[in-house]
Amino acid sequence: MTLLLETRPVPVIDAVIRKNRRLSDVSNGSGIEVVDTEGLRKRWSACWKMAAADRFVQVNWWGRTPTAVLVSAGMWQERQKLNKALVVPDSRVHERPSSDGRTQLTDIFDELEAGVHTVLLFHGKAKAVVVPYVWARKAFPELMLAEPVEPLHSDVAWDGELALVLYRSPRAARRFEREFEGAADPDFEADRRLLSPSSEQARRRQAGLRAVVYVVDGRVERVRAVDPAGEWADLGDGYALAPVSAALTREQIDERFPGLGLYPGEARPAAPGSPREYIDL
């Protein structure tokens, strides 16, 4: 995909912004603006223009879960040139006029679940990009963006066997279907792409992961087992290919995970504040 960009130098990010302060707290003109989704909606124009000026806008879902970062189109392309592992395939790039962003924020955040980067166009030129938070953490390590804290049930043990419940919107599910429509098993290709661990705590969770429950639009679609001895292939963009099994039947779920109690076709409302949660097996 060829984007029309205005060329500008990529700035050096000062260490003063490393603690995710608000712009008003930063004296040297560089910083990260932290907003929640409602704040982004109310200040949409100011936020994307700030990003276009080589500033950073971190967006927290429900005010607490980091979900996206707005960056300039120039910096977005520059980081892909510097690190081939960060290259975003055309299938995961969606262009939108910047004027449509405020009314289409729900769509933009739905697509983030599928790893989609939204390029914002102003008079036909790419100005800013809404990128997944996990990609931004890898692309801009100098920002020292914190690892998102995954919600867990209050009785979950960090070192025990866990199940991951992954919530997807219908739009995100359709995006995966389009991306892998030529694969022999599109659902399998989509389902095995999970977040790559980036901290010791996350690696401990990964080591204990035994099952993944996929929920679409509030209903369980599939349950897959995770091979504890299998290899996680890091894709370099914040995601990895997980060693998941074929979709399990109800009988197989009961046999392998008698304490799970989640079956295809059953309702499963999304956990507030995050598209995923962990439960103890």
Side-chain angles (χ1 to χ4, degrees), residues 27-57:
S27 60
N28 71 342
S30 297
I32 300 177
E33 172 81 347
V34 181
V35 299
D36 60 17
T37 44
E38 186 58 29
L40 179 64
R41 190 182 305 276
K42 291 179 179 178
R43 301 176 51 215
W44 171 250
S45 180
C47 285
W48 78 255
K49 289 178 181 178
M50 192 180 305
D54 291 329
R55 308 283 278 276
F56 296 88
V57 180

Side-chain angles (χ1 to χ4, degrees), residues 213 220 250 253-254 257-263 266-268 279 281:
V213 181
V220 177
R250 186 184 185 97
I253 293 171
D254 285 337
F257 310 111
L260 182 59
L262 297 175
Y263 306 99
E266 292 187 349
R268 177 71 180 185
I279 58 177
L281 290 175

